[in-house]
Amino acid sequence: MSSPHGRRRTAASLAIAGVLAGLLGCSTPRDVAGPNLVAAAQAPGRITAMRRLTEAQYRNAIADIFGTDVKVGGRFDPIVRPEHELIATGAAESTISPAGFEQFDSMARTIAAQVLDEQRRGAFLTCQPADATQADPACARSFFQQIGLYVFRRPLTAAELDFYVDVAGRGAEPTRDFYKGVELGLASMLVSPQFLYQLETAADDGRQIDSWSKASRLSFLIWNSVPDRMLLTAAARGELDTEKGVQAQVARMLASPKAEEGVRAFFTDFLHLDRVSNLSKDTVVYNRFTPAAAADLKEQMLLTVVDHVLTQDKPYPELFTTRKTFLNRRLGLMYQTPVAKAEGWEPHELPANDERAGILGQGAFLALFSHEGRSSPTLRGRAIREVLLCQPVPNPPANVDFSGFNDTSNAVLKTSRQRLDRHNTDPVCASCHKITDPLGLPLERFDGVGAFRTTENGAPIDASGAFEGKSFDGAAALGYLMSQSKGPTDCLAKRVAEYSTGLTEDKLPKGWLEELGQRFEAGGFKYRALLEKVALSPEFFALPEVAEPAAKVAALSSPATPTQGIR
Amino acid sequence: MVKLSRRTILRGALNGAAVGVALPLLDCFLDGNGQALASGAPIPVRFGTWFWGLGVTEDRWKPTKIGADYDLPLELQPIAPYKDKISILSGFDVILDGKPNLPHNSGGIAIRSGVAPSTPTLPAPSFDVLIADKIGGQTRFRSLEISATRDATNSLSGRGEGSLNPAETSPINFYNRLFGAEFVDPNSADFKPNPQIMARRSVLSAVADQRKALEARVGARDRERLDQYFTALRQTEQQLALQLEKPAPLEACRIPAKPADTTPPNYQIEHVIENHKTMAQLLAMALACNQTRVFNLNFNNGASSLTKAGSTISHHQLTHEEQIDAKLGYQPESTWFVERCMEAFGVFVDTLGQFKEGDGTLLDNTLVVAHSETNFAKTHSVEGIPIMLAGRAGGKVKTGLHVAGGSTPATRLGLTVQQVMGVPVDAWGEGGLHTNKPISEIMV
């Protein structure tokens, strides 16, 4: 989803030609393109990780390289979230299926055709072919040298360059069109594993990833996109091998408007907002809940998060208590709050004593972890444990008998709490439900789409709960207690470490998480500072352990029922 | 590389109308099993799966009579008009060998891959992929996957090791993929190889050339993933090559009208039924036009999220939370969903039966395996997972039978259908699921 404050650029303003001249130089190479680049253009080393680009990364890469007006149309093979993990770590295990490849192929061709069409080609080609009806190896070479740097996130090797020049030549001949030939070469580049995967390679010293891989790791972490000219230049100059060099780049990148895309990408993964596009509600029960409203809920959450952690640079724990959010007309209707602006979003501040506060009061969280036709204290409690506190909850035994849990039309057991209490008389059920329910029941004053209510089926709702030994009433109180706990901050630090490296906790360098947790605290729990600390840790660029992980990617369960079998 | 079949002459198989003909050179990969029309064009045999989630109520579904002319308990009644074209398989068990029963995952994955999984992922290739390896290489699409609930991950098809064939979710996208600009009408009089396709092919060949250099740089685990990438690429390339040949005419092939605007992406059963109907039509046309020979259609997901308009509770929740009615002896709301699933299967079988091919129908030249992921959803039982077979696979299987498995491994199904479709395999499955006994009752 594009952000309201997001980047908007055209191919012309991108002016790759000018941008590139400084780095590689079509005709007049400057010193930045000097010996480092040439040396690095030798065959890259051992591949230590293959992280498939996510849909957002692919789209951002195309927009950054070719301009936001180049359309990307197609269906992406989903990268499935491994159980209790991030999609980012799933990406490091993800494969491309035949049907998925077919789509990548079709997208590559449409993108290449747009880039080389008559309107756009001038922005990307710094030379004119001697004869437009024939191959022109020199001109094609300059194109692939420049574009290849961005597409593969490193300079092409001499062999690769020869190869694409050859493809373009073979394409130009039968079509009698130089540009068609270049287009075919570009399409070929865009379906290459070197574009579709973030390939991380070992540096010569065998202890770290190489400079180009470092540049990609930084840019996908902070921008969720490909490195820009300055970052690649820093890589070419060896600046990413020094703390000072990395620090300068990280500061520059965090100050860029593109950092918003990075924050959005991390929190989408962290908070499972990827599932919002598959979220559906019973339209008879929740007649205002449409796919558009679902998209709004996700945007509301992301606007709130971006404003809090990036724009205002406030401590992460306060994201559990903040009364600040954003509303548009459609959500205003759902939450019975007047919204002045007919179009777009406006900041909104809830009253200080409101039941709704922070992440736990966001419609996206409340609706995502509910059933289609009603709320679910168990799904919500489980999400708080697993998503926000990084504490996996066991699945119920396969032969569990739910028959004690009566249906919602029961005349006596009107509220979820009453029904769950009945169900919890079974000690087998109770052992897990006592982990989840005391955190989910306090949110019961919000229904299955997150609208406020005080009763369920005519009976008043009891929103009492307990967290870390403290009893309380309602969602706002739970948010406050979570803001005072180390659980959520340790969990966030761990997730950022996993997200940035594509490695699960067991493969991260020993002791790194503890250290990050301490440094996060010392820095006042600021997300920006956490990103800096991650990027500046020696562990960030360290090569992963060589152990081969077991395959655990394409979970076959439906994303609409992530916690199958648990109520 | 294509190998010549032992039989280079097609055998006329059915009703005398078909005649033995010499195979045209291009068709030497046809495996020699097909029926041939008087025109000489062979009719391909297709294979597909049809999945529904959350099983059945065994007492209300399983016929009591074994063999032909089986009885139809209430939940099976929706298939009554097609009974002679459908076989029922009961009593085939998923054996977990002490592995945990992952609710709504273990059953379906084990049936498809022959291995009881430890995580909710395919640990080995699903049998439809193994069959596609045998018969899917000669069509534009090696296989087509579809989710009527419009969820791309609603798929049990994949090569194992984390690879999953995602499902098509939108009828319009599905239509464009099948019958868009690159569709070559087999019945069109003039054929010219499409230069765009030639160009695309060269693009892919170019990428394939990078394989060696890349593989030399990766570790074993990533090499497997890289192999999957290059396998996918190679398949696309081969399929493009096919589009450069003039296709044989096919009498049942008609280019369908573009489907109307799609149903909203939710789990409301009325929408899913409608979407399934549209997708089934498109799929049948893709089969009739020889765009694919293998398919996997998922009516709903395991742990079915289906809902009824206005109900606050999903099919899945119902199976667990609904009381077994003391008087009726079953869960009345849950059984309603089972009946809708059976009706939908009837619709699918009926759709394939509407296409005339040779002296039979598309259904006669197809083998459809329908199965669920559990038997009784309330307890997630994986013993006696309900299975149905439809179609005669070009005369290679018998229909209209009820076969009782007697608690033998459910992998016998996968072994049987692989053998029927010509995969050279004599035993399949791991551990307690290992079997070398096909279900001979249904084989001709």
Side-chain angles (χ1 to χ4, degrees):
Chain A
M1 188 191 306
S2 68
S3 110
H5 320 305
R7 297 163 270 163
R8 285 283 174 271
R9 254 167 302 142
T10 63
S13 71
L14 187 76
I16 278 279
V19 168
L20 279 158
L23 183 47
L24 274 170
C26 194
S27 49
T28 51
R30 310 239 179 102
D31 56 348
V32 278
N36 277 330
L37 258 178
V38 176
Q42 320 253 308
R46 180 169 63 90
I47 295 170
T48 54
M50 280 174 59
R51 302 160 70 178
R52 220 203 81 196
L53 296 197
T54 62
E55 176 169 353
Q57 287 169 349
Y58 185 105
R59 289 181 184 281
N60 289 343
I62 297 301
D64 283 351
I65 302 171
F66 301 113
T68 49
D69 58 334
V70 171
K71 287 191 185 64
V72 177
R75 184 168 53 82
F76 287 76
D77 248 14
I79 298 176
V80 181
R81 180 189 297 278
E83 210 171 11
H84 309 308
E85 287 178 25
L86 295 173
I87 289 173
T89 51
E93 300 280 308
S94 179
T95 58
I96 292 175
S97 73
F101 183 84
E102 188 191 315
Q103 291 287 318
F104 280 128
D105 174 46
S106 137
M107 286 187 266
R109 284 180 292 120
T110 20
I111 292 164
Q114 294 174 74
V115 170
L116 272 305
D117 70 14
E118 281 186 32
Q119 292 87 52
R120 291 189 185 84
R121 62 175 64 139
F124 302 102
L125 274 163
T126 51
C127 46
Q128 293 267 335
D131 174 354
T133 66
Q134 280 185 23
D136 183 333
C139 187
R141 183 172 297 271
S142 103
F143 174 82
F144 290 118
Q145 189 168 37
Q146 296 171 59
I147 288 294
L149 178 66
Y150 290 88
V151 175
F152 287 0
R153 286 86 73 180
R154 58 167 174 79
L156 301 194
T157 63
E160 285 167 338
L161 208 44
D162 289 346
F163 174 85
Y164 287 110
V165 170
D166 182 54
V167 172
R170 281 186 284 146
E173 214 169 292
T175 55
R176 302 194 53 76
D177 186 342
F178 165 78
Y179 297 103
K180 272 280 165 218
V182 174
E183 182 186 319
L184 286 174
L186 178 59
S188 176
M189 211 172 237
L190 292 174
V191 284
S192 165
Q194 325 215 47
F195 174 66
L196 297 177
Y197 283 96
Q198 184 187 343
L199 295 181
E200 297 189 330
T201 52
D204 290 342
D205 70 0
R207 291 206 301 269
Q208 290 200 327
I209 53 174
D210 70 10
S211 288
W212 306 111
S213 307
K214 288 178 180 176
S216 283
R217 213 174 243 205
L218 286 169
S219 69
F220 283 115
L221 169 63
I222 302 176
W223 291 342
N224 204 37
S225 185
V226 290
D228 69 349
R229 174 182 61 91
M230 291 175 84
L231 188 53
L232 289 170
T233 306
R237 286 173 165 162
E239 290 170 7
L240 302 183
D241 298 332
T242 68
E243 189 177 327
K244 196 175 147 220
V246 176
Q247 196 157 29
Q249 288 302 318
V250 170
R252 175 181 77 84
M253 292 170 74
L254 279 172
S256 153
K258 292 204 275 184
E260 177 177 341
E261 202 61 41
V263 172
R264 283 172 167 264
F266 171 74
F267 279 92
T268 298
D269 194 348
F270 176 57
L271 297 173
H272 295 219
L273 301 179
D274 55 293
R275 278 178 41 224
V276 170
S277 58
N278 274 348
L279 184 65
S280 76
K281 293 289 171 186
D282 192 305
T283 47
V284 176
V285 183
Y286 301 117
N287 59 1
R288 291 197 196 283
F289 195 90
T290 57
D296 288 345
L297 290 181
K298 176 178 172 183
E299 183 62 17
Q300 180 190 35
M301 174 78 97
L302 288 174
L303 285 171
T304 307
V305 169
V306 165
D307 183 63
H308 187 90
V309 306
L310 193 69
T311 315
Q312 312 287 339
D313 198 18
K314 290 198 172 149
Y316 173 66
E318 291 178 18
L319 199 47
F320 289 87
T321 56
T322 181
R323 304 286 176 176
K324 291 198 168 112
T325 186
F326 293 81
L327 277 180
N328 67 4
R329 271 276 166 91
R330 202 159 28 218
L331 293 189
L333 278 172
M334 202 147 81
Y335 300 124
Q336 288 121 44
T337 308
V339 173
K341 275 171 103 171
E343 296 286 324
W345 294 86
E346 63 182 33
H348 180 74
E349 184 148 1
L350 295 153
N353 60 348
D354 205 276
E355 175 87 346
R356 195 187 297 277
I359 292 179
L360 300 179
Q362 286 277 324
F365 180 85
L366 294 162
L368 203 50
F369 302 104
S370 286
H371 294 304
E372 301 232 332
R374 60 183 162 96
S375 68
S376 169
T378 305
L379 289 180
R380 287 175 181 172
R382 189 177 190 176
I384 291 172
R385 288 281 175 206
E386 296 190 334
V387 176
L388 298 172
L389 296 166
C390 298
Q391 299 168 353
V393 176
N395 282 314
N399 61 354
V400 66
D401 186 353
F402 289 97
S403 52
F405 189 50
N406 285 7
D407 69 299
T408 51
S409 56
N410 188 297
V412 182
L413 306 175
K414 291 183 170 174
T415 68
S416 292
R417 181 183 294 268
Q418 291 166 336
R419 292 191 298 275
L420 279 167
D421 280 350
R422 169 63 63 89
H423 161 216
N424 283 347
T425 51
D426 181 334
V428 177
C429 302
S431 66
C432 286
H433 282 276
K434 74 178 183 207
I435 300 174
T436 55
D437 300 355
L439 297 187
L441 286 166
L443 309 186
E444 271 299 284
R445 290 201 189 106
F446 298 107
D447 69 13
V449 293
F452 185 69
R453 62 181 177 181
T454 52
T455 61
E456 184 182 5
N457 297 317
I461 289 169
D462 168 1
S464 61
F467 177 62
E468 295 181 346
K470 298 185 189 76
S471 298
F472 60 91
D473 182 83
L478 174 57
Y480 173 76
L481 289 175
M482 287 186 72
S483 77
Q484 302 300 304
S485 162
K486 268 188 74 66
T489 52
D490 283 349
C491 179
L492 186 84
K494 167 175 129 88
R495 290 306 190 199
V496 171
E498 292 176 332
Y499 179 85
S500 65
T501 55
L503 299 173
T504 47
E505 182 175 0
D506 52 313
K507 297 187 203 74
L508 289 173
K510 301 261 171 306
W512 192 32
L513 291 184
E514 291 71 22
E515 196 186 316
L516 281 179
Q518 286 158 16
R519 293 175 129 226
F520 190 26
E521 182 169 11
F525 295 121
K526 305 280 185 72
Y527 179 74
R528 271 171 179 273
L530 177 62
L531 287 184
E532 279 172 341
K533 286 177 174 77
V534 167
L536 288 168
S537 316
E539 291 89 344
F540 181 52
F541 293 136
L543 281 179
E545 300 292 321
V546 191
E548 295 283 324
K552 48 188 295 191
V553 185
L556 295 162
S557 55
S558 157
T561 51
T563 48
Q564 291 169 348
I566 191 161
R567 301 273 45 82
Chain B
M1 200 51 226
V2 165
K3 284 201 190 89
L4 272 175
S5 157
R6 276 175 288 128
R7 286 178 286 175
T8 48
I9 298 293
L10 284 177
R11 280 202 315 214
L14 290 167
N15 302 335
V19 294
V21 288
L23 275 168
L25 186 63
L26 189 66
D27 294 325
C28 57
F29 37 64
L30 254 183
D31 216 20
N33 297 319
Q35 192 200 160
L37 302 171
S39 72
I43 297 182
V45 177
R46 294 80 160 195
F47 176 80
T49 67
W50 194 94
F51 177 85
W52 84 97
L54 291 185
V56 295
T57 318
E58 198 171 39
D59 295 347
R60 291 168 60 76
W61 183 85
K62 190 168 96 175
T64 48
K65 187 169 177 238
I66 311 290
D69 196 27
Y70 55 84
D71 51 309
L72 291 172
L74 284 164
E75 285 183 1
L76 255 192
Q77 291 210 342
I79 66 152
Y82 322 103
K83 197 181 100 170
D84 60 327
K85 300 187 171 16
I86 295 175
S87 288
I88 305 296
L89 308 187
S90 67
F92 289 90
D93 292 357
V94 164
I95 293 144
L96 296 171
D97 287 336
K99 285 191 189 142
N101 182 353
L102 312 171
H104 309 293
N105 282 304
S106 290
I109 292 172
I111 283 195
R112 282 293 180 89
S113 69
V115 183
S118 309
T119 61
T121 61
L122 275 174
S126 55
F127 60 65
D128 57 282
V129 164
L130 299 171
I131 290 170
D133 284 345
K134 183 71 187 170
I135 67 167
Q138 276 70 44
T139 49
R140 196 171 147 214
F141 302 102
R142 194 174 189 86
S143 68
L144 292 171
E145 283 68 42
I146 297 152
S147 161
T149 53
R150 311 195 63 166
D151 169 4
T153 62
N154 180 199
S155 169
L156 278 170
S157 169
R159 200 165 282 284
E161 296 293 330
S163 163
L164 186 72
N165 293 324
E168 199 68 61
T169 58
S170 138
I172 288 183
N173 290 349
F174 191 40
Y175 177 89
N176 290 336
R177 189 168 165 220
L178 289 170
F179 300 107
E182 287 180 0
F183 175 72
V184 179
D185 185 349
N187 299 323
S188 159
D190 56 326
F191 171 80
K192 264 184 277 162
N194 183 339
Q196 293 281 358
I197 291 175
M198 291 162 82
R200 273 182 69 187
R201 222 187 137 201
S202 69
V203 162
L204 297 186
S205 321
V207 183
D209 290 349
Q210 301 170 359
R211 183 172 189 159
K212 259 200 176 146
L214 275 173
E215 287 194 337
R217 294 169 52 208
V218 296
R221 172 75 190 113
D222 285 339
R223 182 168 306 133
E224 261 173 44
R225 295 166 61 213
L226 212 48
D227 278 345
Q228 295 212 1
Y229 167 90
F230 282 108
T231 304
L233 181 143
R234 182 93 184 103
Q235 284 177 16
T236 309
E237 200 191 339
Q238 283 169 344
Q239 284 152 358
L240 289 174
L242 287 166
Q243 285 173 268
L244 297 172
E245 312 271 1
K246 178 167 174 33
L250 293 158
E251 66 165 329
C253 174
R254 305 269 181 287
I255 302 170
K258 201 164 186 156
D261 204 10
T262 55
T263 52
N266 63 27
Y267 291 91
Q268 204 173 305
I269 190 159
E270 297 82 358
H271 295 148
V272 176
I273 288 172
E274 186 61 31
N275 201 34
H276 168 260
K277 209 164 137 187
T278 312
M279 293 293 226
Q281 279 288 341
L282 290 171
L283 173 63
M285 201 52 98
L287 294 170
C289 295
N290 205 25
Q291 302 298 296
T292 191
R293 289 180 195 167
V294 179
F295 61 85
N296 296 288
L297 199 167
N298 301 283
F299 176 69
N300 56 345
N301 47 328
S304 164
S305 317
L306 294 175
T307 57
K308 243 196 276 192
S311 155
T312 60
I313 187 160
S314 73
H315 181 194
H316 177 217
Q317 289 166 266
L318 276 168
T319 61
H320 293 304
E321 297 170 12
E322 189 183 12
Q323 301 278 21
I324 297 175
D325 188 293
K327 278 203 202 99
L328 300 171
Y330 59 90
Q331 298 166 292
E333 291 281 320
S334 303
T335 199
W336 183 88
F337 282 97
V338 177
E339 284 164 13
R340 300 294 82 72
C341 292
M342 293 303 112
E343 261 170 29
F345 185 57
V347 165
F348 184 69
V349 169
D350 185 72
T351 304
L352 297 188
Q354 297 294 327
F355 288 75
K356 220 179 113 31
E357 266 190 352
D359 51 1
T361 65
L362 177 56
L363 180 63
D364 294 324
N365 295 307
T366 304
L367 176 60
V368 186
V369 169
H371 70 91
S372 193
E373 93 287 13
T374 184
N375 178 356
F376 187 41
K378 191 175 184 67
T379 57
H380 301 115
S381 63
V382 293
E383 294 80 25
I385 291 188
I387 300 164
M388 297 180 280
L389 295 178
R392 296 197 299 167
K396 283 179 287 187
V397 303
K398 297 179 208 164
T399 56
L401 301 172
H402 171 210
V403 181
S407 295
T408 53
T411 33
R412 291 180 66 201
L413 170 72
L415 177 66
T416 307
V417 296
Q418 287 182 67
Q419 291 185 348
V420 167
M421 299 312 294
V423 179
V425 54
D426 56 7
W428 192 63
E430 274 183 21
L433 285 168
H434 180 85
T435 182
N436 57 7
K437 291 188 182 59
I439 306 167
S440 55
E441 290 94 326
I442 62 125
M443 295 168 97
V444 169

